[in-house]
Amino acid sequence: MATLVEPPNRIKPKGKHYYTIWQTLFEIDTKYVPIKPIGRGAYGVVCSSINRETNEKVAIKKIGNIFENSIDALRTLRELKLLRHIRHENVIALKDVMMPIHRTSFKDVYLVYELMDTDLHQIIKSSQPLSNDHCKYFLFQLLRGLKYLHSANILHRDLKPGNLLVNANCDLKICDFGLARTNGVDGQFMTEYVVTRWYRAPELLLCCDNYGTSIDVWSVGCIFAEILGRKPIFPGTECLNQLKLIISVLGSQHESHLEFIDNAKARRFIKSLPCTRGRHFSQLYPQADPLAIDLLQKMLLFDPTKRITVLEALQHPYMAGLYDPRCNPPAQVPISLDIDEHWGEPMIREMMWNEMLHYHPEAASTNA
Amino acid sequence: MSGLEELRKKLAPLFDAEKGFSSSSTLDPCDSYTFSDGGTVNLLSRSYGVYNINELGLQKCTSRSVDETDHSEKTYRCGSHEMRIFGAIGSGASSVVQRAIHIPTHRILALKKINIFEKEKRQQLLTEIRTLCEAPCYEGLVEFHGAFYTPDSGQISIALEYMDGGSLADILRMHRRIPEPILSSMFQKLLHGLSYLHGVRHLVHRDIKPANLLVNLKGEPKITDFGISAGLENSVAMCATFVGTVTYMSPERIRNESYSYPADIWSLGLALFECGTGEFPYTANEGPVNLMLQILDDPSPSPLKNKFSPEFCSFVDACLQKDPDTRPTAEQLLSHPFITKHDDAKVDLAGFVRSVFDPTQRLKDLADMLTIHYYLLFDGPDDLWQHTKNLYSESSIFSFSGKQHCGPSNIFTSLSSIRTTLVGDWPPEKLVHVVERLQCRAHGEDGVAIRVSGSFIIGNQFLICGDGIQVEGLPNFKDLGIDIPSKRMGIFHEQFIVEPKSLIGCYTIVKQELYINQ
């Protein structure tokens, strides 16, 4: 699978060796030996590897030509900044970021994560049976990781099954922080031109200005419903259709539940949708634990001010006996992100280099 | 914690940890393409023919007799090894566009790179290749030159005609709005392209917007990026929010009704409105839902009657009818007074385009690309060097060492002799050019004079100093840490006068002078 090859231009830099994986050239630190490719997507190519210094298995993700698209570059920078501070068993750990050889002209970035076997999307769409215990354990871990993130003032904003990595023993970790934000920062309006819509909260779809941790809770509700039903609950084809699907399940909303919508046109649209009583979740998921149905209903409330919080969800009877506050301390310090979405390549490049130095302090002295 | 531990014990493993999860250890099975070890990607789709794309380029499999009788069928081979790839022109939601030179013909092209392993984009690519393959060079449409697959990056590259001006969106960023006579002339040509797409190819573009309306320095406007196919609309990709795409979407598309050619007319009307007024008529920064609701519920936007001509207002109003059945066709719009009123005016589109885009920067970019291309040929492998003959015409002149050589054959022979001398007896280490200084100025109306100076050093490839245009595969000079004075084996000065051929993106070296000092 992974083939050791000669370096390009026959110039062998110290401390690096070269492998081709799925015909993609990997330039990696010599302490890592690739095993096999494990994934490929819009982000890049991922291969499992061994860290020869610790005998630990890791996943190396190569993001090639990262500056070709400034939006992807910013997403990677955001992830680097956030993951450096995060330490939690339900959030993927970024163990290393390899220093490129040339500071001013590197094009590829190699991120080293702890190795997980697959993601929840693959599990859901497979034929693997999931018991009520599986559903409960997945949900508990997701909520526990999310509570940690929210205590650090971090909104994930792109929770979906594909961003939840799992192991054979059912351990779950949240990944992909490319769209994460710190809560309360008065950031500019970001053109979210590619964001998965099926898991987006109503207040995000309607572009309300003041949203908070409740948007992640909505995503968790959609994911939980998908675990129970083994298919997406709101597979909208576009924004308006997405909202129609949501209302068709939740039912028409009372006036008092629409006050969070600050755009008059959007509010009028919601009211104009056909009157419906909706469908109770127990009809959609007849096999599910009644307590799970109750929790799901509280997560998928249209009005974000009425939606259950992460802490309340962890204290819900469905989660009884699982959550212990003493074993789940909040993050040490709130994390701030000083990222300007209008930065050009030189600034993004410099910021990335600075993030890499945190993993390689010895490289700071040699001004490569 | 006892509750949690009890729960853990009850969990059955999801899969055998040793074997791993099956779908994550291999490529997802996909019934519409297979990937073979040789790097060939077989693209299959129910509604399209079979295309093979590998490093050697696009080859359409004509296994059916119908294809064999199609005389207008046009395929073009261009492989990655035939491309000199320069920096990005721009990037969008689904692709990156770069400048490139096709080595055998020395033609400057635009390379649109798409990641093939994203299912949604593969469908988009299929539609684009088919459309462009089957649309021979036609007024108002960007020309397709071929496609190839690059295994290292996992991308398919589509070679398109290089529009050396830019897009109407670029013009709007700099000039805010475009005068009516210019728009009339431009949109007449764009309507010819759209009429051809609708009436002859029976294709809906689906993404007409200023960013996809390009113009070259000759003043020719063309539609590009036939990128969104019907298949995409039903695919997972539409989970994504394409704000840019939503902006120009017609009411019937937003309502999820069936739509056809009139949807492009709506988009064209919005594009014209924006180009003429300098403003997009809807509020776009309050999110896609609000934008969609404005398009559905608000009255169609209409230009101010006291600021624009009646013909302009009438054209926009006709295109922006909410009811698609009442919108005129592209063919009908060609007869609209807004289009016809300037027919006899001899609008100078070329002059307008040149006044908008910085000629100096365009000249510099061109000089950089051609210079790098020439020296990469000269100091490169023999098989590529053979193509150099095409750079000269019968009237080209090369001066060296007190002698003048005229015509492609003589120039090539003379240059080859110099090249052989520089290579010496041990090819792995030879004298190669290091360009240290490059100057350029306009020559005549369309030509460029390039003056280059630098050093010869012993090495294995050409190098260029500075941080101008970078080319893929060429190391950045600063990274190599070469001290030129200590390695210098000689000095060269060379001057080129380059003129464009009739074919857009093609150039000829009409005069070349070389001086070498030991």
Side-chain angles (χ1 to χ4, degrees):
Chain A
M1 296 274 194
T3 308
L4 182 64
V5 295
E6 284 298 309
N9 296 325
R10 281 190 244 99
I11 305 170
K12 182 153 190 172
K14 187 171 59 176
K16 301 283 189 183
H17 56 183
Y18 295 82
Y19 286 81
T20 54
I21 295 156
W22 275 343
Q23 291 177 299
T24 294
L25 185 70
F26 271 62
E27 176 192 81
I28 55 182
D29 296 351
T30 47
K31 73 178 182 181
Y32 297 109
V33 179
I35 301 171
K36 64 181 181 181
I38 58 178
R40 179 169 217 163
Y43 48 83
V45 178
V46 183
C47 74
S48 60
S49 303
I50 292 259
N51 179 339
R52 286 189 293 190
E53 292 180 356
T54 63
N55 271 332
E56 182 182 33
K57 285 191 179 181
V58 295
I60 298 179
K61 176 160 89 173
K62 175 191 180 183
I63 307 179
N65 287 308
I66 191 165
F67 299 107
E68 253 181 9
N69 187 309
S70 64
I71 291 169
D72 288 340
L74 283 166
R75 289 184 71 143
T76 301
L77 179 59
R78 187 170 293 111
E79 169 143 312
L80 286 175
K81 276 182 159 290
L82 281 173
L83 287 185
R84 172 160 61 85
H85 296 285
I86 293 175
R87 301 279 184 273
H88 193 271
E89 62 186 302
N90 296 123
V91 179
I92 194 71
L94 180 60
K95 307 181 86 68
D96 190 8
V97 185
M98 301 185 200
M99 296 298 295
I101 298 164
H102 301 301
R103 175 179 190 166
T104 57
S105 60
F106 70 88
K107 294 179 179 177
D108 308 321
V109 174
Y110 296 85
L111 310 175
V112 184
Y113 296 93
E114 59 187 318
L115 182 63
M116 303 291 286
D117 291 317
T118 185
D119 63 61
L120 198 54
H121 175 63
Q122 304 293 336
I123 297 293
I124 288 173
K125 76 177 189 181
S126 75
S127 53
Q128 169 70 33
L130 295 176
S131 67
N132 180 54
D133 292 330
H134 285 114
C135 299
K136 187 180 295 192
Y137 190 46
F138 284 145
L139 180 62
F140 169 72
Q141 295 180 92
L142 176 49
L143 289 169
R144 185 172 61 176
L146 199 54
K147 180 175 183 307
Y148 175 89
L149 293 177
H150 287 176
S151 74
N153 231 26
I154 297 168
L155 309 182
H156 187 284
R157 298 204 317 164
D158 196 23
L159 291 172
K160 58 188 180 185
N163 284 343
L164 303 176
L165 305 181
V166 299
N167 272 341
N169 64 355
C170 306
D171 286 345
L172 177 145
K173 293 174 190 287
I174 303 168
C175 74
D176 194 349
F177 288 79
L179 289 180
R181 287 284 188 282
T182 48
N183 196 13
V185 171
D186 56 342
Q188 296 145 330
F189 175 73
M190 178 184 177
T191 306
E192 304 174 21
Y193 74 108
V194 181
V195 179
T196 309
R197 184 186 310 104
W198 293 351
Y199 308 90
R200 297 181 76 199
E203 61 269 28
L204 269 185
L205 290 168
L206 295 162
C207 201
C208 303
D209 285 333
N210 297 314
Y211 58 80
T213 53
S214 52
I215 61 170
D216 283 337
V217 173
W218 176 274
S219 302
V220 172
C222 295
I223 294 167
F224 189 39
E226 192 163 331
I227 296 173
L228 295 175
R230 308 300 285 262
K231 60 178 180 170
I233 181 172
F234 304 126
T237 55
E238 39 79 16
C239 300
L240 301 186
N241 179 251
Q242 184 77 29
L243 289 162
K244 288 176 187 173
L245 287 183
I246 292 171
I247 294 296
S248 71
V249 171
L250 303 191
S252 300
Q253 300 292 302
H254 294 305
E255 184 90 32
S256 59
H257 296 323
L258 301 179
E259 287 175 6
F260 71 94
I261 306 175
D262 48 21
N263 182 278
K265 200 185 300 292
R267 188 184 298 195
R268 199 178 315 128
F269 170 75
I270 296 296
K271 290 183 188 176
S272 74
L273 294 175
C275 200
T276 174
R277 295 164 55 86
R279 301 186 61 195
H280 200 270
F281 291 120
S282 57
Q283 300 170 28
L284 294 175
Y285 312 113
Q287 306 303 318
D289 186 321
L291 290 177
I293 296 296
D294 182 72
L295 179 51
L296 181 63
Q297 186 268 331
K298 291 182 162 69
M299 286 181 167
L300 293 181
L301 288 178
F302 197 80
D303 185 347
T305 66
K306 305 289 194 298
R307 205 172 294 151
I308 197 168
T309 67
V310 175
L311 178 58
E312 289 164 352
L314 284 166
Q315 294 167 338
H316 186 273
Y318 184 59
M319 299 274 101
L322 299 182
Y323 177 62
D324 183 347
R326 295 167 300 176
C327 299
N328 297 276
Q332 291 300 312
V333 292
I335 298 165
S336 68
L337 281 178
D338 289 326
I339 290 183
D340 186 331
E341 286 165 11
H342 298 295
W343 280 343
E345 180 185 321
M347 178 61 75
I348 300 175
R349 184 186 288 274
E350 186 67 13
M351 298 295 285
M352 276 192 186
W353 182 268
N354 289 336
E355 288 300 316
M356 293 167 181
L357 288 179
H358 284 103
Y359 297 88
H360 297 273
E362 76 279 358
S365 53
T366 66
N367 236 355
Chain B
M1 283 302 291
S2 62
L4 184 54
E5 284 163 358
E6 283 174 22
L7 179 61
R8 281 203 178 108
K9 288 174 185 171
K10 290 194 286 182
L11 296 170
L14 293 172
F15 43 88
D16 189 332
E18 288 302 316
K19 293 181 180 175
F21 196 69
S22 60
S23 63
S24 62
S25 55
T26 60
L27 277 167
D28 282 355
C30 182
D31 56 5
S32 62
Y33 80 89
T34 58
F35 183 78
S36 59
D37 286 341
T40 299
V41 178
N42 300 313
L43 300 177
L44 305 173
S45 179
R46 185 160 302 176
S47 52
Y48 301 113
V50 178
Y51 290 85
N52 287 331
I53 301 185
N54 57 23
E55 284 190 298
L56 299 181
L58 171 75
Q59 308 164 39
K60 187 171 184 187
C61 302
T62 56
S63 55
R64 295 170 298 182
S65 57
V66 174
D67 289 327
E68 289 164 1
T69 58
D70 186 357
H71 298 297
S72 68
E73 182 63 38
K74 189 178 177 183
T75 59
Y76 187 88
R77 293 167 57 104
C78 62
S80 61
H81 65 287
E82 295 175 331
M83 289 293 174
R84 203 83 74 191
I85 300 178
F86 298 89
I89 297 170
S91 66
S94 63
S95 60
V96 173
V97 183
Q98 298 172 312
R99 273 174 293 225
I101 289 182
H102 181 240
I103 296 168
T105 59
H106 314 288
R107 186 169 190 181
I108 299 177
L109 300 166
L111 269 195
K112 178 171 176 163
K113 295 165 63 170
I114 302 178
N115 191 324
I116 189 178
F117 287 100
E118 296 180 86
K119 282 188 178 183
E120 303 80 22
K121 294 180 179 176
R122 188 176 64 249
Q123 183 67 41
Q124 182 170 347
L125 174 62
L126 279 172
T127 301
E128 181 149 359
I129 292 178
R130 176 171 180 82
T131 300
L132 294 172
C133 273
E134 296 184 357
C137 188
Y138 192 87
E139 181 188 26
L141 296 178
V142 159
E143 190 180 351
F144 168 69
H145 291 284
F148 60 87
Y149 171 67
T150 310
D152 188 52
S153 61
Q155 288 169 322
I156 283 185
S157 298
I158 304 172
L160 303 167
E161 174 183 1
Y162 175 54
M163 299 294 281
D164 52 359
S167 72
L168 297 196
D170 297 330
I171 296 178
L172 292 177
R173 266 193 292 274
M174 294 179 284
H175 270 228
R176 242 185 81 77
R177 62 195 199 97
I178 302 172
E180 279 193 37
I182 299 289
L183 286 176
S184 172
S185 184
M186 278 187 177
F187 274 70
Q188 179 186 50
K189 294 168 179 61
L190 295 173
L191 279 167
H192 275 296
L194 198 57
S195 176
Y196 179 83
L197 276 187
H198 290 173
V200 179
R201 305 306 320 171
H202 305 296
L203 289 168
V204 184
H205 185 290
R206 294 188 182 88
D207 204 14
I208 301 280
K209 58 188 181 185
N212 282 339
L213 305 177
L214 310 182
V215 68
N216 57 32
L217 293 181
K218 286 184 170 182
E220 297 168 342
K222 303 194 180 194
I223 303 170
T224 189
D225 203 7
F226 304 53
I228 300 182
S229 70
L232 180 62
E233 306 241 316
N234 298 317
S235 73
V236 177
M238 290 307 286
C239 297
T241 300
F242 292 94
V243 173
T245 304
V246 166
T247 307
Y248 297 89
M249 212 178 271
S250 60
E252 65 271 21
R253 287 187 67 187
I254 292 174
R255 280 192 293 263
N256 278 313
E257 296 162 1
S258 63
Y259 63 90
S260 185
Y261 313 125
D264 283 342
I265 300 299
W266 170 278
S267 305
L268 189 80
L270 274 184
L272 179 63
F273 185 110
E274 186 174 358
C275 291
T277 68
E279 289 171 357
F280 184 72
Y282 295 111
T283 304
N285 62 2
E286 288 179 14
V289 166
N290 179 263
L291 175 57
M292 286 175 158
L293 292 176
Q294 289 175 74
I295 294 172
L296 290 177
D297 298 338
D298 291 357
S300 289
S302 185
L304 293 177
K305 298 300 191 280
N306 61 338
K307 285 194 174 180
F308 299 93
S309 73
E311 294 84 0
F312 177 86
C313 297
S314 168
F315 188 102
V316 169
D317 290 348
C319 293
L320 298 183
Q321 296 290 318
K322 292 275 185 88
D323 179 1
D325 293 334
T326 60
R327 287 176 216 143
T329 65
E331 187 68 34
Q332 288 166 346
L333 286 170
L334 280 167
S335 305
H336 190 280
F338 172 68
I339 300 296
T340 59
K341 79 183 270 198
H342 297 287
D343 264 349
D344 302 326
K346 303 299 180 187
V347 177
D348 182 14
L349 285 183
F352 173 78
V353 174
R354 288 166 191 276
S355 72
V356 168
F357 295 107
D358 180 4
T360 305
Q361 186 57 48
R362 285 297 187 275
L363 214 62
K364 179 79 167 60
D365 292 343
L366 178 63
D368 281 354
M369 280 193 283
L370 291 176
T371 300
I372 290 172
H373 176 55
Y374 174 81
Y375 287 113
L376 281 172
L377 284 174
F378 194 101
D379 295 327
D382 290 342
D383 55 324
L384 292 185
W385 170 246
Q386 296 302 313
H387 298 301
T388 307
K389 275 186 239 184
N390 299 343
L391 272 172
Y392 303 94
S393 70
E394 291 301 327
S395 56
S396 297
I397 295 174
F398 170 59
S399 304
F400 174 64
S401 197
K403 294 179 181 176
Q404 283 198 343
H405 308 269
C406 197
S409 294
N410 292 332
I411 295 174
F412 182 74
T413 301
S414 174
L415 287 171
S416 296
S417 174
I418 298 168
R419 188 167 174 274
T420 301
T421 303
L422 291 173
V423 166
D425 296 329
W426 192 40
E429 285 207 347
K430 56 191 180 183
L431 291 177
V432 296
H433 294 80
V434 178
V435 170
E436 296 170 64
R437 187 173 171 86
L438 189 156
Q439 295 165 291
C440 65
R441 58 176 172 80
H443 180 83
E445 182 166 311
D446 294 325
V448 54
I450 305 170
R451 195 181 293 254
V452 181
S453 61
S455 304
F456 289 109
I457 66 170
I458 295 178
N460 57 19
Q461 73 181 110
F462 155 77
L463 296 169
I464 184 167
C465 302
D467 50 11
I469 285 184
Q470 294 299 309
V471 59
E472 272 186 17
L474 191 63
N476 188 294
F477 183 77
K478 279 186 286 186
D479 295 339
L480 298 180
I482 292 178
D483 179 41
I484 295 180
S486 68
K487 287 181 175 290
R488 181 177 291 135
M489 305 293 290
I491 292 172
F492 73 92
H493 298 266
E494 197 151 21
Q495 177 170 303
F496 304 85
I497 296 182
V498 181
E499 289 180 357
K501 293 179 176 177
S502 55
L503 214 51
I504 280 277
C506 284
Y507 293 86
T508 298
I509 300 176
V510 298
K511 193 174 180 185
Q512 183 175 348
E513 299 173 22
L514 172 61
Y515 306 92
I516 297 182
N517 300 324
Q518 284 310 107

